[in-house]
Amino acid sequence: MPSSFRKGLAYILLAAVVICPANLFAKVAPPLTLFYTNAAAKWTEALPIGNGRLGAMIFGGVGREHLQLNESTLWAGGPYDPDNTNALAALPEVRELVFDGQYDEAARLISSNMMAVPLRQMPYQTLGDLWLDFGTNDGAGDYRRDLNLDTAVASVSYTLNGVHFKREIFASAVDQVIVIRLTADQPGQISFSAGLTSPQKASLTNDLATQTLILNGVNGSARGIKGALKFQARLRVTTEGGRISLSGPAGASAMAQDRAQAGVPPHPERAADGFSVTGANAVTLTLAAATSYRNYHDVSGNPASVTRDEIACASARPYPKLLAVHVAAHQKLFRRVELNLGTTEAMNLPTDVRIAHFAEGNDPQLATLYFQFARYLLISCSRPGGQPATLQGLWNDSLTPPWDSKYTININTEMNYWPAESCNLSECVEPLTQMVLEMTHTGARTARVQYGAGGWVAHHNTDLWRATAPVDGPNSGMWPMGGAWLCQNLWEHYLYSGDKAYLREIYPALKGAAQFFLDTLVAEPTHQWLVTCPSLSPENSNPAARKTSITAGPTMDLEILRDLFDHCTEASEILGVDSALAAKITAARARLAPLQIGSSGQLQEWLQDLDLQAHDLHHRHVSHLYGLFPSAQIDVRRTPELAAAAKKSLEIRGDQATGWATAWRINLWARLQDGDHAYSILQFLLSPARTYPDMFDAHPPFQIDGNFGGASGIAEMLLQSQNEEISLLPALPKAWATGSVKGLCARGGFVVDMAWKDGQLTLATIHSRNGNPWHVRYGQTVKYFKVNKGESFQWDGQ
Ligand code: FUC
């Protein structure tokens, strides 16, 4: 143990004994548990639960419990068409200006003619808050708050006046409700008042006969788009023993006070009477919520009947049954992957303390916890039939969240799904697939109206209403590649699964995206290469311009296009369709501008060699490195010169950036097979600068992409499978010299288990799902193997 860490540990132990009368180590945490010795004071200390649709952040106060609530379809606005009808007429002049080097003038013309109306999309919003007011917390001890990733149950426990109290809270994907179970180790001890509030336009009613609170509301308008959704949250309080009555205004004002302390805007006028429970033995609260959203153009759902049915079904199940079916459904997904990178006594410390000390180097299990937390989050925020993970997954306490907590599709949404396939959570991609298929409809309108083109297009953002026109301003918004990049996530799902029915389902999206570019690519004047125009290298200023990022043919666009075109023609061949179109795509692909290595040996970000003149050399986006990761066009063995150039670009950019941008760098260094470098960046990602106490990623502010990108990076360090070759331990850092992993997935339809010792592979077992013959590499040795579907290949790396 390094001495600095030892000192840190000694200090923490001493502090723990002084500050906290109950010994921190009195209860050792199960290994996959986040735990804390204090209630959350801030939202980024609260613990997330979710069932893909309903989410809650749990604060865990002794005197007052607070659950901040979300429902994944509660966004502002309603169906709308943001396409700008002036765009098509302005397009030829914009292109002329760009090719003439008059970038700032082009940006001005784009700004006045080509941006969406309204200029910004609709925000994802909070539903409201559940408050349980227990009265005093004076004299409470033995406090513990945790989140068990293996069961997906959060709990809070403490002792007060000699009675030990426990709360268990989870969001069930089976029963579609949030369940809160309150117990005590002595009868008749549970007394509290319960209420629901919301910053939305909402009103509360209560029905004492059924012990139900009902919050009815409508969503807000935003940016001139009228709110079109109704929503309802319904809370049922099932008591065992004791009495229940209306709590009256006192409870309501206590809740308002708590909202103020938590930094939530006060809405006391809407905090109608809740319930008071006195002297119960145990209580189960079930909470359902729904909106009238059916899909991006239909808001005719009936939330009242949905919540009524859900509460009726859930109330009919006894608590142990609710818990058991929830845990089983979660574990079916969660338990597919086991990771062991070693353990030390540091894992018995509270999670926030461990985050503060991870960089000191003696807590490998925290990387395991971080990895599994991301898998937990994806299961909790992206389930079949629901919405894809937003910038904040499912968890947002605001009406005006950062970047609207929506879908930024110039990196962030794609990154959210990087670990989905490699980390064995393939089902979680379904909401993304569904969103992309829906965007082919809205995006076809944008393609037609704004470009006079066929196919479909999406720019750098979308929202619940699947808006696809360019938003925010030319410098971030005028980028026509968002849909094409999302298609690559879908293609990955096919590569991992080999599922031809899925390929057939997504083929129209690939084809439509390719069609758009066949119609809109233009020849640049110098070499006659085909390029996108106007476009930009995501959010990085064009060094040849005064103050815009507008350009033609940035490297990233061409890399995405090469993938899109390749995957589209491959799909058309596999499915036996559209051979004439495939020939056109192949011809266009041959004319795309090539990847270029610049004068400093770097991979050029733009058509011209401008990288070293960049306004910000350390820009967070590393868009031109898309070719190295997530794509595999640049490869250390197949294209060593380009890989060296990508490495040079990465060195110029530096290791430390915002949360997601740091996470991207981990994946890139793993692809360059430098495990120690990747690990050193992980140490920064897993420090308080980029990880909040509850393990949420800090952009800052909170953005969930860093969690997902970080987990993907850890997986890439252990296993890679691009270019039809499984690579075992390609970037194993010294810090993880001995370990094992079970259940990581590889492209081609494989599941891989591995163990290693002192930096050497001891055994790999490759389970074949589809019976494909394949190659596997360990170090310099490559083996060809052929096993039947359902059988496995074993190798000790020799
Ligand atoms: C992109 C990034 C920002 C942020 C935002 C949500 O615009 O450049 O850093 O992550 O998305």
Side-chain angles (χ1 to χ4, degrees), residues 17 38 172 329 383 416 420 423 509 557 595 618 638 666 678 685 735:
V17 173
N38 292 305
S172 171
R383 278 181 170 269
N416 282 355
C423 300
D557 291 12
L595 295 177
H618 308 297
R638 294 182 173 210
I666 296 173
L685 184 66

Side-chain angles (χ1 to χ4, degrees), residues 70 132 316 329 364 373 435 467 476 487 507 521 558 588 630 650 657 681 701 705 733 756 780:
N70 286 105
L132 304 180
F373 181 56
M435 179 171 86
S476 52
C487 284
Y507 178 68
L521 288 176
L558 298 152
L650 209 42
I681 303 177
D705 38 23
W756 61 95
Q780 296 310 313

Side-chain angles (χ1 to χ4, degrees), residues 391 402-412 460-461 472 476 538-539 619-621 658-661 699-700 703 705:
L391 286 172
W403 292 284
D404 299 326
S405 186
K406 55 186 198 308
Y407 304 106
T408 306
I409 55 176
N410 65 10
I411 171 67
N412 315 83
H460 92 306
N461 275 202
D472 296 353
S476 52
E539 307 194 27
H619 198 263
R620 60 195 181 287
H621 286 263
T658 59
W660 63 262
H699 180 288
Q703 244 178 245
D705 38 23

Side-chain angles (χ1 to χ4, degrees), residues 191-261:
S191 301
F192 66 100
S193 57
L196 281 169
T197 59
S198 176
Q200 302 275 1
K201 280 192 203 124
S203 59
L204 191 71
T205 55
N206 47 46
D207 179 6
L208 196 52
T210 57
Q211 303 188 178
T212 306
L213 290 180
I214 300 172
L215 184 79
N216 276 306
V218 292
N219 73 336
S221 305
R223 297 152 191 162
I225 304 298
K226 210 171 149 10
L229 292 171
K230 291 180 286 186
F231 71 89
Q232 183 176 96
R234 188 180 283 255
L235 178 76
R236 166 98 176 241
V237 184
T238 307
T239 45
E240 293 166 35
R243 281 177 298 109
I244 184 163
S245 56
L246 292 179
S247 63
S253 69
M255 287 171 225
Q257 192 190 329
D258 205 44
R259 288 175 63 82
Q261 270 168 19

